[in-house]
Amino acid sequence: MRLPLPPGPPVTFTARLHDARTATAIGRWLGLAFAVCFATGVLSHFLQHPPGWLADRLPSRPYWGYRLTQGLHVASGIAAVPLLLAKLWAVYPRLFAWPPVRSATHALERLSVAVLVAAALFQLFTGLLNTFQWYPWPFSFVPVHYAVAWVVTGALLLHVAVQWPKIRDHFTLESPGTLALPGADGPNRRQLLFGVAAAVGAVTLTTVGQSVTALGRLDLFAPRSPAHGVQGLPVNRTAAAARVTRASLAGWRLTVDGPRPYALTLDELRAMPQHEVTLPIACVEGWSKSARWTGVRVRDLLERAGGGPGARARVVALEAAGAYRVMDMGRLYAQDPLTLLALRLNGEALSLDHGYPARIIAPNRPGVLQTKWVGRLEVV
Ligand SMILES: Nc1nc2c(c(=O)[nH]1)N[C@H]1C(S)=C(S)[C@@H](COP(=O)(O)O)O[C@H]1N2
Ligand SMILES: [Mo]
């Protein structure tokens, strides 16, 4: 005769390392990674889409600022992947807790954890695929990734508030409270945490070379190696992808609109005072690389068109379509002596893929705003 199974979960979990202490130990590093990712992501968002009152206040210095913050954004996101997996492993018995709902508050708490887990997985998954420029989904990456970042942060703050007693206990050794555990788990927990730390170190070291040029040789897994690309610099969007060809550039002139509009041929631009700057391209997708640029100061071009010291600029590229065809530049960027309409890269004329005949290079700005194949400049 078969006895009916008692009600309850189909599987029994042992508590070994699936305890609050392990979850908290991993959780604080995961929390730190998410905090860095969120702060640098919001910063990147406002640099790319500043509200009107902010546009002229965005600073053009330090010139390496965006390279650092966006490098941190992608690195902290990558480091969060093994941390999130370890955290989910540590807590998964609780995800199958029985009975599934004990009270209204308990139901709400579980719902918020479900939102947190789903949103966190979504952010890391979409962010990681974005670094590979692979978009196997029907929505637009940037606005959705930005919106879900707020969902993760809200759910995370709620989670920390709900779990605060356990987190506090973790840091107050005198009162271990619910964290008291059989001593035998101690060394095992250390091994587990060591393994997680090693995994974080490994994924970081094998990808961070995409922005830390000195670690370029360890850069095994990042999608773009800064060591590759024409003229010593990677290319994100090629001229072919933007449908810019040598033929389409025949008779090219730079048009500058303003109170005193004018147009210049490439030879006339070359005859103007040339300046050389060393500035990085820092792509939002995580790679960055410094290069030597030579060209004409944007502020000189604006001034010649009648733009005063408060002038801002709008830059229009030659490509027919694309999200980065039109770019606005706040006052501090437009007036910075480092901001160039570059004609040369690392000592050679720009290649077509790097924006020939002329491109923008400005300090402390996302790569998407370093407009290539410039056709028109407007004083705003
Ligand atoms: N006109 C135009 N300029 C553009 C783009 C573009 O799609 N169109 N892509 C941008 C992006 S995303 C980056 S990271 C940089 C890369 O510059 P590079 O190819 O010279 O390295 O160019 C930027 N300039
Ligand atoms: Mo980019």
Side-chain angles (χ1 to χ4, degrees):
M1 191 186 108
R2 288 179 99 210
L3 286 169
L5 282 170
V11 197
T12 338
F13 295 100
T14 61
R16 224 169 147 72
L17 295 180
H18 296 294
D19 55 80
R21 182 152 209 164
T22 311
T24 311
I26 299 170
R28 59 190 171 160
W29 293 110
L30 183 58
L32 180 67
F34 269 116
V36 171
C37 223
F38 180 72
T40 51
V42 169
L43 182 81
S44 181
H45 176 85
F46 281 105
L47 288 179
Q48 287 173 67
H49 311 280
W53 61 269
L54 187 62
D56 279 335
R57 293 192 169 89
L58 289 179
S60 55
R61 305 295 175 95
Y63 71 88
W64 42 261
Y66 189 76
R67 182 177 198 188
L68 175 73
T69 62
Q70 195 60 11
L72 274 176
H73 182 73
V74 174
S76 57
I78 290 174
V81 173
L83 288 171
L84 181 61
L85 294 177
K87 171 87 178 176
L88 288 175
W89 178 83
V91 300
Y92 82 89
R94 287 177 53 91
L95 304 180
F96 298 94
W98 204 265
V101 170
R102 289 196 302 268
S103 65
T105 356
H106 185 229
L108 272 179
E109 191 204 321
R110 297 209 72 183
L111 184 69
S112 75
V113 170
V115 169
L116 175 58
V117 171
L121 285 170
F122 178 89
Q123 278 311 76
L124 297 186
F125 181 74
T126 54
L128 199 61
L129 290 203
N130 175 250
T131 70
F132 289 89
Q133 291 192 307
W134 183 27
Y135 308 102
W137 46 70
F139 51 83
S140 171
F141 169 76
V142 175
V144 177
H145 193 71
Y146 179 65
V148 178
W150 289 94
V151 177
V152 174
T153 303
L156 188 58
L157 289 176
L158 188 64
H159 181 64
V160 168
V162 168
Q163 300 294 340
W164 186 248
K166 287 179 197 162
I167 297 171
R168 192 193 44 211
D169 282 356
H170 182 83
F171 290 102
T172 330
L173 293 173
E174 297 80 37
S175 59
T178 53
L179 301 175
L181 284 156
D185 269 1
N188 282 335
R189 183 176 309 105
R190 266 195 295 281
Q191 280 162 16
L192 173 75
L193 296 182
F194 184 79
V196 173
V200 169
V203 295
T204 304
L205 272 182
T206 53
T207 51
V208 80
Q210 64 181 327
S211 50
V212 183
T213 311
L215 294 176
R217 290 187 46 188
L218 299 175
D219 183 15
L220 302 173
F221 297 124
R224 254 149 310 180
S225 157
H228 295 122
V230 272
Q231 300 184 306
L233 188 71
V235 172
N236 222 35
R237 188 140 190 257
T238 61
R243 293 167 190 273
V244 176
T245 59
R246 292 261 166 202
S248 72
L249 294 170
W252 178 87
R253 267 185 174 70
L254 174 77
T255 322
V256 187
D257 279 346
R260 295 192 299 272
Y262 60 89
L264 295 174
T265 64
L266 187 53
D267 283 337
E268 286 166 334
L269 274 171
R270 284 177 180 144
M272 287 181 69
Q274 303 290 302
H275 296 272
E276 188 174 283
V277 301
T278 300
L279 285 179
I281 293 276
C283 180
V284 295
E285 284 144 25
W287 63 268
S288 56
K289 179 109 190 258
S290 192
R292 212 154 37 81
W293 308 90
T294 316
V296 181
R297 279 186 182 148
V298 164
R299 72 173 188 200
D300 293 349
L301 292 165
L302 298 177
E303 197 184 310
R304 183 164 164 177
R312 283 183 269 145
R314 167 163 290 180
V315 179
V316 185
L318 294 166
E319 61 198 302
Y324 308 119
R325 197 179 76 88
V326 180
M327 179 273 282
D328 286 321
M329 193 181 255
R331 186 175 68 85
L332 297 176
Y333 295 109
Q335 299 300 327
D336 194 302
L338 293 180
T339 301
L340 300 186
L341 181 75
L343 310 176
R344 300 172 72 78
L345 161 58
N346 288 333
E348 298 165 13
L350 282 175
S351 67
L352 196 54
D353 280 339
H354 282 307
Y356 173 90
R359 79 171 298 164
I360 293 293
I361 185 76
N364 195 21
R365 287 204 108 188
V368 290
L369 303 177
Q370 310 282 26
T371 308
K372 305 196 268 192
W373 315 293
V374 172
R376 195 168 76 236
L377 208 62
E378 294 167 18
V379 174
V380 181

